[in-house]
Amino acid sequence: MPALVALMASAFLGAAPAPSPAKLLVKNAWIASMDPSTPEPFHGYLLVGADGKLAAVAEGEPPAGLTAQQTLDAGGKVVMPGFLSGHSHLWQSAFRGVAPDQLVMAWVTLLHRTYGPFFSKGDLYAFTLHGSLDYLRHGITTAFNYSQSLNLPNELYQEEYQAELAAGERFVFGYAFPNHPPFTKDVKDFESFYSAFEAGPRSPLVLSVGLVSEGLTEDYLKVFFGLMKEHGLVAQLHYLEAPDSASQHKYFPYIEASGMLGPRMSFAHFIHTNDEILAKAGAAGAGMSWNPLSNGRLGSGFADIPRYLKAGVQVGMGLDGQASADISDPFENMRMGLYAMRDKYENAGVLHAIDVLRMHTLGTAKILGVADQVGSLAVGKYADFLVLDLGLMDPGPVFDLYATLVFACDIANIDSIYVGGGLVVDHGRAVNQDMAAISKDVSTRVARIRAKFDASKKTATAPTHP
Ligand SMILES: [Zn+2]
């Protein structure tokens, strides 16, 4: 029985205690639910329960007498699920525009090995908070944060987790497992983080904790996959990103031998594959995060998405960090990827607007193992959604809503953003945050890091972290 019907029935029968009042009723909306059960957009309403989850998603007008603490008349605006990013490094938000003409490895060297050693307490918190709020204001309501240890002490890089909680965005935390053989302290650190997470209390903002890799050697992957298996985690590996990364093909047998290649494993970028890797990853139901903006900025190459889909690889989409997708605009990300595939195949039918919309929402939720909680507007899932006002940058009459959303909309069309049925962004403004203070803090911290870096060049000494 749908939750709304159950709720109404129990009210009529008087058999159950009075249900807590619904939090929000959104009516008069064009709903693009991204749910397979409603493939076409429809005019209807949403009801959000007190728990921040959808209690009803239905066509037409709400039944008479249906009330909530708040009612939003969408005035015919479009309501769609918030976007997900399947691969992100949110702390990089403070480093846009760095290494503007470098391929990924030279860019990583500048970002991680040049500035990273000068990070100190509070930096990763401030930068990740900035990045999470940047995502949120661009319509990404769930991020998979592939955190990075940057060779910092464990308590410093866990600031990334704390910052995401503070931002009010929903997330899957990708715990960076450092590459320090023989990994004894790294395992201990992870176990202590994970047992604290399991013991709770847990915010509904954190959907799960996964593992993300910082190495590909046989010894490293053995420990990494051991933890994944022991705790039943999702995991993601940076793999086959750089144009010359075919040398990493030799690590694939270790991945395969782990027994963990399957729906809980995803690869970030996964561009320079070969037939064997693709066939095995597809047959196992493994996923990938396709990151067209970041891949374009760093000259990494095109993942051949139609071929991947044919092989059975689950494809989600990601914005990556803001130092490689310098604007976290999911509309631009969809267009960049879609048009690149059409150019590559010289075929405008090779991938459709609805395909990239699904990949950036429900498809990404699937590769992260959270499709039961987010990714589409369906009863029982979190009420994380965007209200899009096509009139703000009027694209004219709509012939096909999905085509209009992908080809003719951008972040300027985002009227408001809700997480768990609560307003978090109103016309670009993060309503619960002091963005001016956060931006100022980030600028001060980056200026300090750059000054220390410049001074180290003069003395040729760099600090080392334990
Ligand atoms: Zn990455």
Side-chain angles (χ1 to χ4, degrees):
M1 188 186 294
L4 175 66
V5 179
L7 185 149
M8 292 176 74
S10 66
F12 285 126
L13 296 171
S20 49
K23 184 173 180 177
L24 175 71
L25 174 64
V26 183
K27 60 181 189 178
N28 192 16
W30 271 104
I31 299 174
S33 77
M34 294 300 120
D35 200 72
S37 66
T38 48
E40 296 301 326
F42 58 91
H43 185 259
Y45 67 95
L46 305 175
L47 184 71
V48 183
D51 57 359
K53 292 181 175 173
L54 290 160
V57 181
E59 234 178 305
E61 293 298 319
L66 186 66
T67 59
Q69 290 169 15
Q70 279 190 315
T71 298
L72 171 70
D73 185 336
K77 295 188 185 87
V78 176
V79 169
M80 66 169 282
F83 289 99
L84 283 85
S85 173
H87 180 72
S88 314
H89 309 288
L90 295 168
W91 66 269
Q92 293 180 3
S93 187
F95 294 88
R96 282 167 228 221
V98 300
D101 305 311
Q102 300 296 333
L103 290 173
V104 61
M105 286 325 291
W107 169 91
V108 161
T109 299
L110 184 80
L111 196 56
H112 291 207
R113 292 172 201 149
T114 303
Y115 294 132
F118 300 99
F119 280 26
S120 57
K121 190 168 165 47
D123 289 343
L124 276 174
Y125 180 92
F127 302 161
T128 305
L129 180 61
H130 189 269
S132 304
L133 290 170
D134 179 66
Y135 259 40
L136 201 52
R137 288 181 297 146
H138 285 83
I140 302 147
T141 52
T142 297
F144 179 70
N145 192 20
Y146 196 118
S147 72
Q148 293 182 301
S149 72
L150 301 170
N151 221 21
L152 294 167
N154 186 265
E155 66 274 15
L156 288 197
Y157 71 84
Q158 284 187 23
E159 288 179 3
E160 296 176 67
Y161 178 83
Q162 299 303 334
E164 280 186 283
L165 277 179
E169 182 184 45
R170 222 176 284 286
F171 65 101
V172 174
F173 187 68
Y175 181 102
F177 187 69
N179 189 1
H180 303 140
F183 316 107
T184 320
K185 182 170 185 309
D186 301 327
V187 170
K188 211 173 140 206
D189 284 343
F190 173 75
E191 296 288 4
S192 104
F193 172 84
Y194 194 68
S195 57
F197 167 75
E198 285 220 298
R202 194 185 299 183
S203 160
L205 290 174
V206 50
L207 297 173
S208 74
V209 163
L211 273 179
V212 297
S213 77
E214 296 202 326
L216 287 170
T217 60
E218 186 173 15
D219 286 354
Y220 175 88
L221 290 176
K222 213 171 250 178
V223 181
F224 180 87
F225 289 129
L227 288 172
M228 180 189 176
K229 192 173 189 173
E230 183 187 340
H231 297 290
L233 305 171
V234 293
Q236 192 172 81
L237 283 77
H238 270 141
Y239 195 46
L240 304 175
E241 177 178 9
D244 59 357
S245 58
S247 59
Q248 295 178 345
H249 288 178
K250 63 176 180 278
Y251 300 117
F252 193 75
Y254 308 144
I255 298 170
E256 207 190 349
S258 72
M260 301 310 287
L261 186 66
R264 283 191 289 121
M265 189 188 295
S266 60
F267 299 101
H269 307 296
F270 208 44
I271 300 166
H272 304 283
T273 56
N274 60 24
D275 288 342
E276 187 192 352
I277 289 174
L278 212 50
K280 287 181 171 168
M288 70 168 289
S289 180
W290 179 29
N291 313 308
L293 273 181
S294 173
N295 298 156
R297 146 78 139 104
L298 296 173
S300 300
F302 292 141
D304 185 346
I305 297 302
R307 185 164 149 244
Y308 286 30
L309 292 171
K310 220 168 158 185
V313 175
Q314 302 295 311
V315 180
M317 294 186 81
L319 269 309
D320 210 349
Q322 289 102 328
S324 60
D326 304 51
I327 175 163
S328 353
D329 181 343
F331 295 96
E332 196 179 348
N333 202 40
M334 289 190 294
R335 276 195 291 274
M336 171 93 192
L338 179 63
Y339 295 171
M341 290 306 111
R342 289 180 173 197
D343 272 344
K344 185 181 177 75
Y345 280 82
E346 298 183 1
N347 175 357
V350 74
L351 211 56
H352 307 283
I354 184 63
D355 296 332
V356 284
L357 261 181
R358 287 216 179 94
M359 284 176 191
H360 227 323
T361 53
L362 190 58
T364 305
K366 284 182 182 163
I367 67 158
L368 301 178
V370 293
D372 57 334
Q373 301 178 80
V374 292
S376 64
L377 300 177
V379 170
K381 292 196 186 188
Y382 283 114
D384 300 349
F385 60 88
L386 316 180
V387 180
L388 300 169
D389 186 352
L390 302 190
L392 283 173
M393 282 285 165
D394 186 11
V398 173
F399 291 86
D400 171 332
L401 183 62
Y402 298 140
T404 296
L405 289 175
V406 175
F407 301 157
C409 283
D410 68 15
I411 52 168
N413 294 101
I414 301 177
D415 171 285
S416 48
I417 301 170
Y418 290 76
V419 170
L423 179 70
V424 290
V425 175
D426 185 9
H427 293 87
R429 189 175 61 87
V431 297
N432 304 315
Q433 305 280 346
D434 184 348
M435 272 317 295
I438 293 165
S439 296
K440 196 173 162 209
D441 183 33
V442 164
S443 297
T444 307
R445 288 172 182 279
V446 171
R448 190 203 73 236
I449 288 164
R450 293 181 73 177
K452 282 192 172 176
F453 167 64
D454 289 342
S456 78
K457 280 196 295 192
K458 288 180 192 131
T459 60
T461 55
T464 49
H465 287 284

